[in-house]
Amino acid sequence: MAVLRDELIGLRSMDDMIKARQLVRDCAIFQGLSLVDQTKIVTAASELARNTLVHGGGGEMRLQALNDGPRRGVKVIFADRGPGIPNIELAMKDGYTTRGGLGLGLSGSKRLVNEFSIESQSGKGTTVSIVRWK
Amino acid sequence: MGQNMQLAEEIRKRQDAILKDWMAYQVSALTLRRDLVKESELRETSRQFLELFSEAIGVSTDTSSPSWKPVKDSLAEISQKRAAQGFSPSETATFVLSLKQPLFDLVQQRVGQDGKRLADMLWEFTKLLDHLGLYTTEVYQESREGVISRQQQELMELSTPVVQLWDEVLALPLIGTLDSARTQVVMENLLQRVVETGARIAIIDITGVPTVDTLVAQHLMKTVAATRLMGADCIISGIRPQIAQTIVHLGVNLNDIVTKATLADAFEVALARLGATVSKAASTS
Ligand SMILES: Nc1ncnc2c1ncn2[C@@H]1O[C@H](COP(=O)(O)OP(=O)(O)OP(=O)(O)O)[C@@H](O)[C@H]1O
Ligand SMILES: [Mg+2]
């Protein structure tokens, strides 16, 4: 599998989040995703970037354009060294929130993408990775 | 201090030559933005600056002394202007830093073979011009921050206009990213206008909002709830098909909220609720 574009940006402020969304949209357009799929991956990225910022205390986003034979996709990885998620299963439930949100960021973004993986260790941080294929 | 006076005198005497060299450096520095500044204007600014510079250096080489105030004021003005025009920080500092070479040439010619004196004087000049360069950058930074926060303020105000569409019908066309600070302003503005105008229906149009995620959805739901508390109904319009699909997948439930594809559709609903109808006037022949 070839990685065509590989970018890394910090997520420390609202401005970074706006930039992150724009980069993901650019990449999705570059990869030829449909308008609906662009919107899905950008929205999922928006959720995860906000989690990184709000719950993880800031971190970074890595963005890759994937070419797997004829398949084209966009992969986004969010990583922070925050408090981690003690119970991932619980956090992935619709409506579960510790901060008065809707509690739909994690579960909802999973539904918006083709591949979703999450790793988290208490006290060490959280990494979430998503892929949307064309 | 005799030495300073001499130096000042020298700069004044050779002003044309220095100016010519300095201009050449400024122009050749790739960073000069021909699109943003005219050469004749730059020459005049440079000439005036050189005059102030030679006056100040005749008194002291310490840029924090009062004699340097006119020089700094002039630099501040140039810096602010360039910041407003969109020059980068280094493009802005180039103005004063590129004066180094012509001044070094001058010193070299004057001091000749005396290596120790040459080194001392070059060091003195380097310090002096670096200070001025730093000062330029500081002023630039400050005025850029000023420009940015002004723009943000303007955007905030500009992008939250509540418009009256009809007797008792308000519309709020949202444009841009809805971060928390802005959304707060938007919401308060709308509620205030509902109270002021006694509106019965408020339409929030999100055609211009690029991403609707859970936070934006939550803000919208809160606004709708608050509007209801004020005794008015709320309609959300401008939900493009791709946004509608995404919201559904996210799991956000907008079932309790009246949503319409376009502002025009929402307006029709509003009129119907008020019992008003709009029709084309029969053509009079
Ligand atoms: N990067 C992270 N680091 C630590 N905890 C996290 C992280 N991401 C999510 N969580 C935890 O998982 C919970 C659920 O996250 P989710 O994004 O689904 O909801 P939310 O952020 O609370 O609300 P919203 O619906 O606005 O996203 C959060 O409340 C938080 O406790
Ligand atoms: Mg979240």
Side-chain angles (χ1 to χ4, degrees):
Chain A
M1 181 155 47
V3 176
L4 286 193
R5 275 165 79 157
D6 196 345
E7 286 167 285
L8 188 70
I9 69 159
L11 292 174
R12 310 244 152 248
S13 65
M14 260 316 286
D15 282 354
D16 290 343
M17 261 202 65
I18 294 172
K19 206 164 101 194
R21 281 199 292 250
Q22 278 165 355
L23 279 177
V24 173
R25 186 175 297 277
D26 274 359
C27 188
I29 293 172
F30 175 80
Q31 289 293 70
L33 267 63
S34 71
L35 187 55
V36 171
D37 288 345
Q38 284 168 35
T39 310
K40 284 181 176 171
I41 183 105
V42 170
T43 308
S46 179
E47 292 302 336
L48 299 172
R50 181 173 287 109
N51 282 356
T52 302
L53 201 62
V54 175
H55 305 301
E60 52 198 25
M61 179 187 96
R62 186 163 185 183
L63 176 65
Q64 296 180 326
L66 303 182
N67 277 23
D68 183 16
R71 267 213 311 185
R72 306 186 111 212
V74 177
K75 178 171 187 171
V76 202
I77 304 162
F78 300 85
D80 65 64
R81 295 172 179 278
I85 305 174
N87 186 340
I88 293 183
E89 204 185 324
L90 187 61
M92 290 296 302
K93 283 217 162 80
D94 274 358
Y96 178 81
T97 175
T98 54
R99 283 250 183 156
L102 292 180
L104 293 170
L106 282 179
S107 51
S109 54
K110 184 175 182 185
R111 286 187 289 265
L112 289 172
V113 296
N114 301 116
E115 291 169 29
F116 181 100
S117 72
I118 178 167
E119 272 168 48
S120 189
Q121 241 185 314
S122 261
K124 289 257 170 74
T126 303
T127 302
V128 182
S129 158
I130 53 174
V131 182
R132 179 88 220 176
W133 293 106
K134 189 182 164 184
Chain B
M1 288 301 106
Q3 190 189 317
N4 283 350
M5 293 293 283
Q6 271 181 27
L7 201 56
E9 189 53 38
E10 197 91 16
I11 293 175
R12 233 168 275 146
K13 255 195 339 223
R14 306 203 39 210
Q15 189 182 340
D16 288 344
I18 295 174
L19 191 59
K20 192 167 152 257
D21 282 354
W22 184 22
M23 281 299 294
Y25 283 113
Q26 291 192 66
V27 173
S28 73
L30 278 174
T31 50
L32 178 73
R33 300 280 294 268
R34 283 160 201 276
D35 52 327
L36 293 179
V37 69
K38 279 212 289 286
E39 212 172 304
S40 58
E41 211 174 286
L42 182 64
R43 185 181 307 277
E44 186 51 27
T45 312
S46 304
R47 196 188 57 73
Q48 286 170 3
F49 181 83
L50 203 55
E51 249 165 48
L52 295 174
F53 183 88
S54 61
E55 257 166 52
I57 211 168
V59 183
S60 159
T61 49
D62 175 8
T63 55
S64 58
S65 78
S67 55
W68 282 89
K69 182 155 187 317
V71 175
K72 285 182 163 176
D73 287 349
S74 140
L75 266 186
E77 199 182 307
I78 293 164
S79 209
Q80 281 160 358
K81 201 167 147 201
R82 291 195 172 187
Q85 282 176 321
F87 279 80
S88 75
S90 56
E91 283 169 339
T92 305
T94 295
F95 174 76
V96 62
L97 291 180
S98 61
L99 186 53
K100 267 186 192 172
Q101 194 63 55
L103 287 182
F104 284 7
D105 291 346
L106 177 84
V107 170
Q108 210 147 17
Q109 284 168 20
R110 255 176 50 96
V111 179
Q113 301 300 322
D114 188 344
K116 168 91 177 68
R117 255 196 85 204
L118 181 64
D120 285 349
M121 283 189 77
L122 288 185
W123 176 239
E124 195 75 23
F125 265 119
T126 301
K127 267 195 324 197
L128 196 150
L129 287 172
D130 284 350
H131 275 146
L132 294 179
L134 273 178
Y135 178 73
T136 314
T137 317
E138 274 164 30
V139 175
Y140 174 93
Q141 199 64 28
E142 275 168 27
S143 43
R144 272 314 280 176
E145 278 161 17
V147 170
I148 290 168
S149 76
R150 235 184 352 267
Q151 282 172 342
Q152 278 175 343
Q153 201 59 39
E154 276 169 13
L155 254 179
M156 214 165 207
E157 285 161 13
L158 261 181
S159 53
T160 58
V162 179
V163 291
Q164 181 130 30
L165 284 186
W166 193 264
D167 194 26
E168 303 188 309
V169 183
L170 295 181
L172 174 66
L174 290 177
I175 294 167
T177 305
L178 287 181
D179 57 57
S180 295
R182 228 192 104 204
T183 315
Q184 193 65 25
V185 178
V186 171
M187 188 161 147
E188 279 163 17
N189 253 1
L190 179 65
L191 295 179
Q192 194 186 334
R193 294 280 285 148
V194 166
V195 174
E196 279 168 10
T197 60
R200 282 172 54 196
I201 297 172
I203 303 171
I204 302 178
D205 185 78
I206 60 167
T207 310
V209 178
T211 307
V212 179
D213 59 11
T214 58
L215 189 75
V216 172
Q218 195 179 19
H219 282 314
L220 287 174
M221 293 193 285
K222 278 187 184 160
T223 309
V224 171
T227 316
R228 281 185 188 151
L229 283 177
M230 319 268 18
D233 278 342
C234 212
I235 303 174
I236 296 188
S237 69
I239 302 186
R240 289 151 286 158
Q242 67 273 23
I243 302 270
Q245 272 200 50
T246 303
I247 290 179
V248 170
H249 279 95
L250 259 184
V252 173
N253 182 355
L254 293 181
N255 289 349
D256 295 342
I257 300 174
V258 181
T259 56
K260 288 285 152 202
T262 68
L263 183 56
D265 293 344
F267 186 44
E268 240 181 78
V269 171
L271 287 180
R273 288 224 189 134
L274 295 174
T277 48
V278 180
S279 57
K280 286 197 179 118
S283 54
T284 45
S285 44

